[in-house]
Amino acid sequence: MKSAVETLNPTRVRLTVEVPFEELKDSLDAAYKKINQQVTVKGFRKGKIPARVIDQRFGRGAVLEEAVNDALPKFYTDAVNEAELSVLGQPEVDITELKDGETLNFTAEVDIRPSIEIPDFSGIEVEVDAVEVTDEDVDKAVEELRERFASTAPVERAAEDGDVVTIDLQAKVDGEVLEDGVADGVSYTIGSGELLEGIDDAVKGLEAGGEATFASELKGGSAAGKEAEVTVKVTQVAKRELPELDDEFAQLASEFDTIEELRADSRKRLENMKQYDQATQAQERVLEKLLDLVEVPVPEKLLEDEINTRKHNLEHHQLGQMGLDLAKYLEIQGKSEEEFDAETKEAAVKGIKTQFVLDELVKQEKLNVNQEELTEHLMRRAASSGMSPDQFAQAVVEGGQVPLLVGEVARGKALAVVVEKATVKDTNGEVIDLDDEEDEDTTEASAEETPAESAEEKTEG
């Protein structure tokens, strides 16, 4: 076999492959064997039909077609390996010449990973938010904890803001009660915004036994997006009672004995959260600066596939779970379809570029992933997916996704290398020394969220 490579553009090549006919022998033998198992000819046992009879009865062309289809993947792979190409996706193959007994010639056009030069990135500087926790922040955190320990007591008066009402609901569309439009004994806190639009105004002022009707657009269910006539009946009004902020509350709500110890712990937790947010912000901004330094051509077909995948996931998974379609989502977001398309393309381009650059850094820095790092990453991914580690690991192995997880960890380590050499200052001008453990967690999170998994699958080819 002889092959040659023609560069069509920085991300696409054409392979020209010439195969002497004798190299098709194994595939021809396999083709005759396969056809033998599929057909019957009177006078011959199944599987024992001579090749010349198959040629006479079914045509040599059918045999050649079967043999070529069997052989092409191997010859294509050999040509790719010989040229040391990192291909993306499936090739477009064209058989240019097939002469029985002489030769098989074909071309294959395929996208490839672009050649990337990583410049010196040690001079990257970024600014992040300073970690500042105010007394007001602590007050808010303690108040939120206090809200969780609130109790309710029934009252004989009209419902007010902040009250917890027990209600029965019935929704009608075009005068017909919906099958999934009836709910009894629903507990609702007035002003929480957790139910239908308009319900707060409807129930405020009602006592137990009171009833009101209002119009509201349904957010989910069989009539999602439609205007409904909703009847609400209040069966109980209860007042929320908050515990006193004292040492007794601290002992009830935490492992601490005093309210001051509880406040100190709340402050420490807030500082840790803001430090984590700061580290994540540093990863994102360093990554942006790195991408600005590198020229990365993006394969058109890969970009097209990535955009389509992102749109499909949004429409059929995320929005579907919320009972929304794309048109309604864009209306809520206040975006035109053109703006949405532009944003989706921009995100897809960034995801693909990020993966290419970080993968190149993995090679350049000779980074490896050990079993412990992979296991830790798997545990985090399992937690975010809502699955147990065992379930997630089984799904990953059965789906052949282990290389994808390894790639995510490696890219996280590559980004950590860049962050380590960057200068990170907060808004107060202080140089930030990011903690090693925070670096690892946040870089992996950043690296796994930025490039789309669908692009990753295509680039593993």
Side-chain angles (χ1 to χ4, degrees), residues 376-394:
E376 289 177 358
H377 183 62
L378 186 147
M379 298 281 281
R380 280 192 290 271
R381 287 290 303 273
S384 65
S385 71
M387 301 170 68
S388 72
D390 287 345
Q391 288 175 324
F392 187 79
Q394 183 178 351

Side-chain angles (χ1 to χ4, degrees), residues 15-308:
L15 288 162
T16 301
V17 183
E18 298 179 10
V19 183
F21 205 79
E22 56 266 23
E23 293 188 30
L24 282 172
K25 183 181 183 308
D26 289 344
S27 294
L28 280 168
D29 291 344
Y32 280 116
K33 186 175 181 180
K34 182 176 181 180
I35 294 173
N36 241 309
Q37 300 301 321
Q38 294 175 337
V39 302
T40 57
V41 175
K42 190 175 181 180
F44 296 96
R45 285 185 296 159
K46 195 174 186 68
K48 300 296 184 179
I49 308 169
R52 59 180 176 75
V53 175
I54 290 177
D55 288 346
Q56 292 168 358
R57 296 292 296 270
F58 305 102
R60 174 71 167 174
V63 179
L64 287 175
E65 182 179 357
E66 181 67 37
V68 169
N69 288 340
D70 175 73
L72 274 178
K74 175 186 180 301
F75 292 128
Y76 165 72
T77 301
D78 288 346
V80 166
N81 292 336
E82 185 178 289
E84 297 182 343
L85 299 174
S86 180
V87 299
L88 309 172
Q90 298 301 313
E92 294 180 7
V93 177
D94 181 26
I95 298 174
T96 56
E97 186 176 22
L98 175 58
K99 288 184 178 180
D100 193 0
E102 295 184 29
T103 186
L104 163 66
N105 298 335
F106 69 91
T107 62
E109 287 191 17
V110 66
D111 287 333
I112 59 169
R113 279 179 177 263
S115 177
I116 298 174
E117 292 291 331
I118 306 291
D120 178 20
F121 48 78
S122 60
I124 290 179
E125 294 186 11
V126 297
E127 184 181 73
V128 296
D129 295 335
V131 173
E132 297 175 345
V133 178
T134 66
D135 289 342
E136 289 74 17
D137 293 332
V138 177
D139 291 342
K140 182 180 178 183
V142 173
E143 189 62 27
E144 288 175 353
L145 182 61
R146 186 185 181 203
E147 290 278 349
R148 288 166 50 190
F149 284 85
S151 59
T152 59
V155 292
E156 295 184 4
R157 59 164 173 75
E160 302 172 354
D161 267 327
D163 284 344
V164 179
V165 290
T166 304
I167 55 178
D168 297 337
L169 293 166
Q170 183 186 82
K172 294 181 180 179
V173 173
D174 299 329
E176 296 291 329
V177 177
L178 300 171
E179 287 187 16
D180 56 352
V182 178
D184 294 334
V186 178
S187 180
Y188 175 66
T189 301
I190 300 176
S192 66
E194 294 174 352
L195 280 179
L196 298 166
E197 187 176 340
I199 195 169
D200 289 339
D201 291 336
V203 297
K204 277 192 291 188
L206 295 181
E207 297 184 21
E211 190 175 294
T213 299
F214 64 100
S216 184
E217 183 180 302
L218 300 178
K219 301 300 183 186
S222 61
K226 292 185 178 180
E227 189 83 3
E229 181 186 272
V230 183
T231 299
V232 56
K233 181 179 180 180
V234 176
T235 59
Q236 184 185 76
V237 179
K239 180 181 179 181
R240 299 179 76 251
E241 296 180 345
L242 298 174
E244 292 293 326
L245 286 177
D246 52 21
D247 293 347
E248 186 176 339
F249 168 70
Q251 294 162 20
L252 169 69
S254 71
E255 70 271 30
F256 302 106
D257 293 327
T258 68
I259 192 68
E260 288 308 313
E261 289 175 332
L262 173 61
R263 288 180 60 84
D265 181 70
S266 296
R267 183 180 294 276
K268 182 62 178 175
R269 289 175 183 272
L270 288 171
E271 287 174 352
N272 289 341
M273 288 173 57
K274 291 199 174 189
Q275 285 171 352
Y276 182 89
D277 291 343
Q278 185 187 65
T280 302
Q281 193 178 64
Q283 312 306 321
E284 294 170 349
R285 294 184 178 178
V286 167
L287 177 59
E288 289 174 2
K289 287 288 185 73
L290 176 63
L291 294 181
D292 287 342
L293 291 176
V294 187
E295 187 69 31
V296 186
V298 176
E300 292 182 9
K301 183 65 167 63
L302 182 64
L303 177 58
E304 179 185 340
D305 290 346
E306 175 61 13
I307 291 172
N308 291 336

